Amino acid sequence: MTVWDDLVGQDRVREQLAAAAKDADALVTAVTDGEPVEQGSKMTHAWLFTGPPGSGRSTAARAFAAALQCTSPDRALGGEPGCGFCDGCHTSLIGTHADVQVIRTDLLSIGVKETRDLVRRAQLSPAVGRWQVIVMEDADRLTEGAGNVLLKAVEEPAPRTVWMLCAPSLEDVLPTIRSRCRHLTLGTPPVEAVADVLIRRDGVDPERAHSAARATQGHIGRAGRLATDERARARRAAVLKVPLRVADVGGCLKAAQELIDTATDDAKQMADEVDVKETEDLKAALGGVAGGRMPRGTAGAMKELEDKQKRRRTRTQRDSLDLALTELTGFYRDVLALQLGSRIAIANVDVQDSLDRIAESSTAAQTLRRIEAVIACRQAMDRNVAPLLAVEAMTMSLRSG
């Protein structure tokens, strides 16, 4: 099993990264042995991975990071880096390699302070590995100030530091940063390829794997959750009933409230799992006593943690709502396909009766307006409109078509 095995349906990207990893290995070997470095290397110090959600941007970046740290003896015999078995590959993939830093945020944005800490780390030489690698999975969440801080590090990198930025599209990254990165575009993987990896990697029943891959239209992460999490399947089933529940104003408002309640419950569940432990750990670190008062001068640190936890709950609620809106978009996409007689595969075959009912009782123009209403709801939440107001406006629009 090589490091590339979970990079599904991205053969061209895999070939480019494998070639770059091979050149990177030759580069480090030449420098170590004091030999001249060959020109024309496919390796560079900054990479930008873009592609739609579920395409495997972060998977590609982590696999590349592992290949750069590969220490397999087969490399000396002409083998490609990225064996998947050596200590460098294994620790990189599971997140314990000292020279591979993976940045993923559960907040709404990545700020200046966090980025400065990364930039300082990027100036260090590798401690045990062949490269110092920093993978930023949510580069699109960098604030403008944080992006400007990062720019300097990308412009003038340390000799053995590699930046890997992941974002949905080029437009989500500052032009000054993306112009200094080598760009790789990933596409949505085929449904069959996603089902195959769920069966092979996660041991999912073939029928359930194909159903989950088809329902999520090739989104690897969502397909995995849908195939293995009963709660995720129940939540999806509830969302797909919304189009049938907006026949009157009361139904619209009730459906909107239930969507918000579900998202709030998701945020609360994460808070219950994480916030209490974080708070107790910080109190202990600051010298607090269980059940007693905190020492003087620690109120600021506690307030900072509370603010972080609040932002995380907001992000979790928005992500849960966004997933529900994605499911609704897929439902109406299937309705439109039926109305237009398209030959494209139906994603939500498990609710075929509902699709047929909506398709027969409405027109293609109405379906398009409903899809636009879902998109408008997502945009409204991006502008910090109160979630309940945005979702109520959407469900009312779904009713009228």
Side-chain angles (χ1 to χ4, degrees), residues 59-325:
T59 300
R62 288 195 300 269
F64 187 31
L68 292 180
Q69 305 291 11
C70 183
T71 57
S72 168
D74 292 343
R75 296 175 297 107
L77 304 176
E80 292 189 353
C83 65
F85 295 102
C86 70
D87 185 66
C89 288
H90 179 67
T91 55
S92 297
L93 291 175
I94 66 174
T96 60
H97 196 291
D99 295 314
V100 178
Q101 178 82 0
V102 179
I103 309 302
R104 59 175 70 87
T105 182
D106 48 15
L107 304 179
L108 295 174
S109 62
I110 301 174
V112 171
K113 181 178 180 297
E114 303 98 297
T115 308
R116 282 181 178 152
D117 291 340
L118 285 178
V119 169
R120 280 193 289 270
R121 177 187 174 113
Q123 299 305 311
L124 301 175
S125 297
V128 296
R130 299 168 71 79
W131 296 87
Q132 177 80 251
V133 182
I134 300 177
V135 179
M136 185 174 288
E137 294 189 353
D138 301 294
D140 53 309
R141 295 186 183 273
L142 284 164
T143 64
E144 184 175 355
N148 290 329
V149 170
L150 179 62
L151 175 61
K152 188 68 174 176
V154 174
E155 280 182 325
E156 301 175 4
R160 298 265 288 276
T161 294
V162 182
W163 287 90
M164 302 183 190
L165 311 180
C166 305
S169 70
L170 283 174
E171 289 69 27
D172 291 310
V173 180
L174 286 176
T176 48
I177 292 179
R178 68 184 186 230
S179 66
R180 290 161 174 79
C181 298
R182 183 166 297 172
H183 179 214
L184 292 177
T185 303
L186 287 76
T188 301
V191 169
E192 286 299 321
V194 173
D196 178 68
V197 79
L198 292 179
I199 297 168
R200 171 176 50 81
R201 183 190 66 189
D202 301 329
V204 176
D205 175 76
E207 183 177 351
R208 176 168 289 179
H210 282 87
S211 176
R214 184 172 56 246
T216 57
Q217 286 296 284
H219 189 299
I220 301 172
R222 284 173 50 212
R225 286 191 295 274
L226 197 60
T228 59
D229 187 351
E230 182 62 38
R231 189 167 181 266
R233 291 193 289 273
R235 182 167 53 234
R236 172 177 173 270
V239 170
L240 295 183
K241 291 178 181 177
V242 168
L244 298 176
R245 299 177 56 201
V246 294
D248 53 54
V249 174
C252 292
L253 299 181
K254 185 176 181 181
Q257 186 63 62
E258 288 178 2
L259 288 175
I260 295 296
D261 289 344
T262 299
T264 303
D265 288 343
D266 287 341
K268 184 178 183 301
Q269 182 182 24
M270 174 173 281
D272 291 343
E273 294 173 355
V274 178
D275 289 3
V276 174
K277 185 178 186 305
E278 275 187 347
T279 302
E280 293 303 320
D281 288 347
L282 182 59
K283 285 182 177 180
L286 295 174
V289 179
R293 296 181 62 182
M294 292 295 295
R296 288 186 177 182
T298 60
M302 295 301 299
K303 180 65 166 59
E304 183 178 351
L305 177 62
E306 290 172 4
D307 290 342
K308 175 186 174 182
Q309 291 172 343
K310 182 178 179 181
R311 293 195 301 272
R312 182 166 59 207
R313 285 193 292 271
T314 301
R315 165 79 187 271
T316 304
Q317 183 191 46
R318 288 190 181 182
D319 284 351
S320 180
L321 275 174
D322 193 64
L323 177 58
L325 298 180

Side-chain angles (χ1 to χ4, degrees), residues 357-374:
R357 181 175 169 183
I358 298 295
E360 292 170 2
S361 62
S362 61
T363 65
Q366 287 178 304
T367 303
L368 284 172
R369 286 194 292 270
R370 286 165 173 155
I371 293 174
E372 290 170 354
V374 179

